[in-house]
Structures are given as structure tokens and as C-alpha cells.
Amino acid sequence: MAAAKIKKGDRVIVLSGKDKGKTGEVTQAFPKDGKVVVAGVNVHVRHTKPTQGDPQGGLKRSEAPLDASNVSHVTADGKPTRVRFEMQDGKKVRVAVKTGEKISG
């Protein structure tokens, strides 16, 4: 992912995989790896034994990274859109292709 089209805090929709159609907020972005972590999506479960640090043990749930190509920005009506870059007032800003509105961040 050459340019950061998806950043932390963006609202995205999952385009493929077991969580297809789910929306959420990006909690972490890894631009070098081309991956993002979305809240409530791609949740993996790990069975842990009780330890001194965690005497309860049990099932630990956490979100795993998704490939950035499998998510897309969401417009106000909940539909996916691509992102393009434009120069506005001498600054490079992200713009939604479908609506033309500026994406904050």
C-alpha cells in the first residue's frame, strides 16, 4: 500500500471473507504490511491456561489484522467507496470517489 488510503479512525466495510458486510472503525493500521485491524471484525479466540498473571485463564478474544484490500471506506448511506487524493489549498487530502466529500484524518 503505497499511500495510506485507510488510516486509524476510519469507518470501513469488509468486502470479502467470513465477516463480509460488517462495518467498523479501524483501530490499528500497518501500512508497511498492508493490513488493518477493525473493531469487532475478524475476532480470533485463544484458549489460555490459568497463570499467576492471569489466574482465571479461559477464552481470550482479540481482533486479528485484515488485508487492507479487503476493506473499503463507508459513505454516510453505508455503501463502500474508493478513495482518491486531491490537492486542496496546497494540501493533499483524501476524497471519497462516490460522493466527492473530503475524508477527515
Side-chain angles (χ1 to χ4, degrees):
M1 199 158 83
K5 291 191 175 186
I6 298 174
K7 295 183 177 182
K8 181 178 175 179
D10 290 346
R11 296 277 310 156
V12 295
I13 187 167
V14 180
L15 300 175
S16 65
K18 65 177 184 171
D19 293 321
K20 180 178 179 178
K22 287 187 180 179
T23 60
E25 186 176 322
V26 175
T27 57
Q28 286 182 298
F30 306 104
K32 284 186 179 178
D33 302 330
K35 295 190 180 287
V36 293
V37 176
V38 182
V41 176
N42 199 25
V43 177
H44 286 195
V45 179
R46 185 177 186 99
H47 300 258
T48 58
K49 281 184 164 182
T51 61
Q52 279 189 329
D54 179 22
Q56 184 65 32
L59 302 177
K60 303 296 177 195
R61 300 175 191 279
S62 63
E63 289 104 5
L66 287 166
D67 201 86
S69 64
N70 293 337
V71 298
S72 180
H73 276 275
V74 176
T75 58
D77 59 353
K79 295 192 176 177
T81 182
R82 294 188 315 266
V83 176
R84 71 169 174 251
F85 290 97
E86 289 182 359
M87 293 299 287
Q88 292 180 358
D89 301 325
K91 288 189 175 184
K92 188 175 172 184
V93 295
R94 298 180 301 154
V95 176
V97 172
K98 275 189 182 172
T99 60
E101 66 187 29
K102 181 181 167 186
I103 298 171
S104 61

